[in-house]
Amino acid sequence: MQQPYAKIVVKIGTNVLTRADGSLDITNISHLVDQLATLKKQGTQLVLVSSGAVGAGRELLPAADQLEGVVRRQMLSAIGQVRLMELYRQLFAGHQLLCGQILATKEDFRDRQHYLNMRNCLEAMLHERIVPVLNENDAVAITELMFTDNDELASLVTAMLNADALVILSSVDGLFAGSPNDPNARLIAEVDAEDESVLAHIAPVKSSFGRGGMDTKLRMAQQTARLGADVILANGQRPDILLQVLAGEGPRTRVKARNGVSNVKKWLAHQPDAKGKVFVNAAAKEALLNSQSVNSLLPIGVTHLEGDFQKGDLLRIIGPNKEAIGLGIAQYGAGEAQDCLGKKGQKALVHYDYLVVF
Ligand code: GLU
């Protein structure tokens, strides 16, 4: 049996929460809450990321199908989220547990202050033994700035809370070599965080109601594992699946965590936007990507800069062929950096502790 995880994030996809006709599958939701309550009683700290708001809304207002896409999603999620939370509230209360709702947008993860604020709230809830239930704030999210899907939100929260594992429950058992609908396809039990060859085996299928697909799931899972959490993909419609996979049993795919990644690096790895760009030469690129040694970004390896960044701003690091190499936090502003560009013996523009490479 594997070591129990102290802190986990569980993401439940729309297809696990709804039946084939789109209505909420209250029997299965109730069974999942039973399992979450068992884990909670065993002392596991857990955060739930639940989809299903749009699905629950669709059941309440089938006529919304006439509306235009964005407004339709906004409205359905607004009414469905209430329904979903009411259900969770009742089901958790049956186990003498409180749950609380947090709706997030991608914007909430961009600003470090905002990010820390959200983390404080989640940690306080965990401390009080409350189950945080997160979802994307679909009612206000701007289409271009939405999470790819709730897997992305769950992955961000896993990194944010330094959780030991992220369990992603969908309507398939995990990653298959081939199509999950092919009875001869093999379930891949374990995937390495760095193994890109797995992607080639995954059939490009998408679930019927949720937003994500299996290839984005794998990408997200590997990124999360690289940041230090085990990621387990399993079928949320199977009885007792959550308890089983956390005990190292049952059909699932596990992407194994890499150890020792700092909190700052976890935050950095998920930042979509940078204030400035730093173009580096081949030697600097090689030094930064060298996994055998620890290297900061020195001005001598910088060929040119873009953007009026200040100390503390996020920089995108770009290689000689315009390839993105990584992200880092500027130790000083663009003016000072310009003065020491290409020169020897200067202070690092990005210190190793504030640097992530892709
Ligand atoms: N936030 C959406 C919902 O609650 C689901 C997004 C997804 O499919 O991952 O309906």
Side-chain angles (χ1 to χ4, degrees):
M1 203 181 119
Q2 74 186 42
Q3 281 287 86
Y5 298 110
K7 198 191 289 177
I8 61 170
V9 174
V10 178
K11 184 257 169 172
I12 310 184
T14 301
N15 285 316
V16 178
L17 303 167
T18 50
R19 297 181 191 278
D21 65 1
S23 63
L24 275 188
D25 187 345
I26 296 172
T27 314
N28 201 35
I29 300 175
S30 167
H31 179 56
L32 286 163
V33 170
D34 289 348
Q35 295 176 69
L36 292 167
T38 302
L39 292 167
K40 201 78 195 150
K41 298 222 160 98
Q42 289 168 353
T44 310
Q45 294 194 44
L46 64 90
V47 171
L48 179 60
V49 176
S50 176
S51 301
V54 175
R58 197 180 283 123
E59 192 186 358
L60 293 172
L61 193 70
D65 282 343
Q66 321 293 329
L67 294 168
E68 180 262 324
V70 175
V71 174
R72 183 169 150 268
R73 191 195 73 233
Q74 290 176 316
M75 262 179 62
L76 290 179
S77 67
I79 52 175
Q81 183 67 24
V82 182
R83 160 119 165 86
L84 197 60
M85 283 312 294
E86 174 54 13
L87 189 58
Y88 279 127
R89 190 198 65 74
Q90 285 181 14
L91 293 171
F92 278 113
H95 296 278
Q96 288 75 50
L97 287 168
L98 279 175
C99 64
Q101 165 186 280
I102 298 185
L103 298 178
T105 63
K106 211 161 181 169
E107 300 284 280
D108 296 321
F109 287 87
R110 292 191 172 200
D111 177 81
R112 180 120 178 109
Q113 195 60 47
H114 217 171
Y115 177 89
L116 294 175
N117 205 19
M118 180 155 45
R119 191 173 77 186
N120 285 345
C121 174
L122 283 165
E123 281 174 348
M125 287 173 94
L126 291 179
H127 186 259
E128 296 302 320
R129 300 193 66 252
I130 298 166
V131 181
V133 184
L134 277 87
N135 194 0
E136 177 162 16
N137 195 345
D138 292 294
V140 300
I142 298 161
T143 312
E144 297 75 41
L145 297 176
M146 280 169 75
F147 297 111
T148 317
D149 54 31
N150 267 350
D151 295 349
E152 185 182 9
L153 170 60
S155 149
L156 286 164
V157 171
T158 304
M160 170 189 259
L161 293 175
N162 242 333
D164 305 299
L166 163 64
V167 185
I168 299 185
L169 297 177
S170 70
S171 52
V172 288
D173 288 333
L175 299 173
F176 284 87
S179 161
N181 303 324
D182 173 357
N184 297 319
R186 182 180 55 84
L187 180 66
I188 306 170
E190 185 114 359
V191 174
D192 193 89
E194 307 296 341
D195 184 0
E196 287 183 3
S197 69
V198 198
L199 206 55
H201 302 302
I202 312 293
V205 286
K206 217 180 92 48
S207 57
S208 46
F209 290 116
R211 224 185 286 150
M214 266 301 157
D215 46 349
T216 47
K217 250 191 187 47
L218 174 64
R219 253 187 265 274
M220 214 64 85
Q222 286 186 313
Q223 187 183 7
T224 306
R226 281 199 287 273
L227 294 175
D230 275 356
V231 182
I232 301 168
L233 308 176
N235 185 341
Q237 288 163 338
R238 284 186 182 270
D240 285 327
I241 191 68
L242 191 53
L243 300 177
Q244 279 185 10
V245 296
L246 290 171
E249 294 158 10
R252 82 259 176 220
T253 298
R254 183 172 74 141
V255 188
K256 216 175 146 357
R258 205 211 255 166
N259 295 324
V261 185
S262 78
N263 285 345
V264 172
K265 288 188 187 246
K266 287 181 189 188
W267 177 73
L268 268 177
H270 283 295
Q271 292 310 299
D273 278 342
K275 256 278 157 70
K277 287 185 184 160
V278 186
F279 295 82
V280 302
N281 61 25
K285 176 182 172 182
E286 203 188 310
L288 293 176
L289 297 183
N290 186 344
S291 56
Q292 309 302 317
S293 63
V294 163
N295 294 306
S296 298
L297 174 59
L298 302 172
I300 183 150
V302 177
T303 56
H304 63 284
L305 303 166
E306 250 180 55
D308 184 22
F309 58 87
Q310 311 287 321
K311 177 182 175 167
D313 280 342
L314 193 64
L315 301 177
R316 188 165 290 276
I317 303 163
I318 312 220
N321 301 314
K322 306 266 178 292
E323 71 281 26
I325 294 180
L327 286 168
I329 293 178
Q331 293 234 83
Y332 39 90
E336 195 180 333
Q338 198 63 48
D339 290 343
C340 54
L341 215 115
K343 290 187 189 155
K344 266 193 184 162
Q346 304 293 318
K347 190 171 123 185
L349 176 56
V350 177
H351 186 271
Y352 174 76
D353 287 345
Y354 298 92
L355 171 80
V356 280
V357 289
F358 301 135

